[in-house]
Amino acid sequence: MSYVSGTEASRNRGLFVSIEGIEGSGKTTQYEMLVPALIQRGLDVVGTCEPGGTALGGEIRKILLNPDFKEMDGLTEALLYAADRCQHVHEVILPALRRGQTVVSDRYIDSSLAYQGTARQIGLEGVKNLNEWATNDLYPDITFLLDMPASLALGRLTAAPDRIESEPASFHEKVREAFIMLSRVYPGRFVILDGTKDKDEIHREIMGRLAKMI
Ligand code: TYD
């Protein structure tokens, strides 16, 4: 694993896009539409996700989502997500960006700021510092937030709920509010999209926004 000095923000590299939102907001659907659309435009794209974007991260993901670990401490949870992200950044994301590739990630740092830092009440500042350490200060260039009420989004889930999905609707509503709060903290990076709109319309909005950057 290679570490570099200085912040990644200042380096010449490919475009880094993240997609965020609560469960059931349609973020993975948009990710699955976006990656092939960008490839069709001639871009060299690496599509990836968190947690579990690496083989090692896949094992961390199993622990994180296992509903049997009801005793998991909130800070343990934050550290495990950060560990998954550290491996993901250094093994997959940074090497791709340095090769000039476009990286699209289904979830990234803002998920930890919203779920662990805010909804889990671990503390935004601590989770931010932990994740900046884990990622060598690598933030996305642009973050698409699929926003919709938790009651509506959770109603779309069909599979058996994992450990995080099993949280009450009030927890997911806090996550939603935290994402909106983050979009105000980082107005230049966040694009808020109405997750209740038709998926093709949302996709067109995302492509329209990216067309200005690619
Ligand atoms: P994900 O695989 O994206 O699930 P889904 O597609 O159902 O949204 O993410 C798994 C869970 O992990 C999801 O409930 C959100 C949670 N999560 C965090 O709490 N913090 C994080 O930093 C990340 C990346 C995900």
Side-chain angles (χ1 to χ4, degrees):
M1 190 180 292
S2 66
Y3 289 90
V4 291
S5 58
T7 69
E8 283 302 323
S10 58
R11 290 167 190 276
N12 277 337
R13 53 171 178 77
L15 185 71
F16 181 20
V17 181
S18 65
I19 308 180
E20 298 279 7
I22 58 174
E23 2 271 309
S25 61
K27 123 198 107 42
T28 304
T29 302
Q30 289 303 322
Y31 164 82
E32 284 170 356
M33 292 170 88
L34 180 59
V35 172
L38 291 176
I39 292 171
Q40 211 177 8
R41 290 268 181 114
L43 290 183
D44 190 357
V45 184
V46 172
T48 187
C49 70
E50 290 190 358
T54 61
L56 193 155
E59 297 302 307
I60 298 176
R61 180 186 168 95
K62 283 185 205 159
I63 298 171
L64 278 165
L65 300 186
N66 186 341
D68 294 340
F69 290 134
K70 293 197 175 38
E71 74 279 25
M72 192 183 295
D73 183 83
L75 181 54
T76 305
E77 184 181 285
L79 289 163
L80 285 172
Y81 277 111
D84 168 71
R85 183 161 302 119
C86 180
Q87 187 66 29
H88 190 210
V89 162
H90 292 93
E91 186 182 324
V92 177
I93 302 178
L94 270 181
L97 294 174
R98 288 183 182 139
R99 285 191 297 266
Q101 291 175 297
T102 299
V103 175
V104 181
S105 188
D106 182 349
R107 293 197 188 278
Y108 185 64
I109 194 165
D110 300 298
S111 280
S112 281
L113 298 175
Y115 283 83
Q116 282 70 49
T118 312
R120 211 48 116 197
Q121 297 183 317
I122 299 305
L124 198 54
E125 213 41 45
V127 173
K128 182 172 177 280
N129 290 340
L130 170 66
N131 277 277
E132 288 181 348
W133 185 34
T135 64
N136 198 30
D137 290 335
L138 178 71
Y139 277 89
D141 299 300
I142 186 159
T143 298
F144 292 101
L145 171 61
L146 289 161
D147 176 56
M148 64 191 297
S151 53
L152 214 62
L154 295 174
R156 290 172 164 186
L157 301 179
T158 48
D162 61 36
R163 198 179 58 85
I164 307 269
E165 285 167 353
S166 305
E167 290 291 335
S170 57
F171 175 88
H172 296 281
E173 198 52 52
K174 274 190 206 140
V175 175
R176 179 201 185 189
E177 284 163 19
F179 275 130
I180 306 253
M181 178 273 294
L182 290 169
S183 73
R184 297 198 181 111
V185 175
Y186 303 103
R189 173 164 69 82
F190 266 84
V191 177
I192 304 188
L193 301 159
D194 179 353
T196 65
K197 283 188 184 169
D198 176 72
K199 67 179 181 351
D200 294 313
E201 194 178 338
I202 299 174
H203 174 66
R204 276 194 297 276
E205 286 179 31
I206 293 177
M207 289 304 285
R209 188 62 184 242
L210 286 177
K212 297 174 194 157
M213 304 176 80
I214 56 181

